[in-house]
Amino acid sequence: MRLSVQTDYALRTLMFLAVKDGHHSIAEIAHAYGISKNHLMKVAQRLAAEGFVEGVRGRSGGLKLTRPANALNVGSIMRIMEDTGTFVECFDAATNSCVVTPACGLRHALAGALEAFARHLDQFTIADLVPDSKSYGWQLDAQAATAST
């Protein structure tokens, strides 16, 4: 199982915002992680649409968590951000053209594996992913300072 880049960036963005107070620009977050600002912009729009972050325009604007980090469940975020409906062809009845589907047990096995993966992630919040937030914040600041010189 591999998370999409969108989910990866979403989790990183939420972790960044969990350790940094105030509003932070997409450019600042992208710079801290060394990732594409344009791709992160799409992720941020989705995070805002799903209610995980609020975006404020303007000079002192940026992104901010809408809830405390300990109220943001990683499993729920993964389920929202990932498109597991197309994990394998047979998951989507509308586009499934596999001839062995009626006799195949792969769909059931993979569906169970995906659910077990999500249930495991349900045990964690964004706050759990940044337990030593002072160290984490320092690393982001150091990376940003190094990258800007």
Side-chain angles (χ1 to χ4, degrees):
M1 169 95 199
R2 182 181 176 132
L3 293 177
S4 67
V5 172
Q6 185 177 37
T7 303
D8 177 23
Y9 287 8
L11 291 170
R12 289 195 215 186
T13 298
L14 296 171
M15 291 166 65
F16 181 97
L17 296 173
V19 298
K20 300 281 202 168
D21 289 329
H23 290 87
H24 298 278
S25 71
I26 291 169
E28 178 186 359
I29 298 166
H31 188 263
Y33 284 119
I35 59 180
S36 165
K37 179 182 153 192
N38 291 336
H39 193 76
L40 187 58
M41 193 172 305
K42 294 175 188 172
V43 171
Q45 289 171 340
R46 177 91 186 270
L47 288 171
E50 297 293 345
F52 295 117
V53 300
E54 70 173 3
V56 176
R57 294 180 184 258
R59 184 174 171 96
S60 61
L63 300 175
K64 182 179 178 179
L65 294 178
T66 58
R67 293 172 275 179
N70 64 2
L72 297 171
N73 182 272
V74 177
S76 296
I77 295 162
M78 190 276 301
R79 284 182 186 91
I80 289 169
M81 299 301 292
E82 283 294 312
D83 179 16
T84 57
T86 58
F87 188 65
V88 289
E89 180 183 351
C90 59
F91 275 27
D92 186 356
T95 60
N96 182 16
S97 62
C98 181
V99 297
V100 297
T101 298
C104 181
L106 182 60
R107 178 180 178 188
H108 177 72
L110 291 177
L114 284 172
E115 185 52 35
F117 180 65
R119 273 196 318 269
H120 179 73
L121 293 177
D122 283 339
Q123 300 173 56
F124 303 96
T125 67
I126 292 296
D128 295 326
L129 303 182
V130 288
D132 186 5
S133 61
K134 288 183 174 123
S135 173
Y136 185 86
W138 176 85
Q139 290 172 347
L140 289 176
D141 290 340
Q143 288 173 353
T146 304
S148 65
T149 56

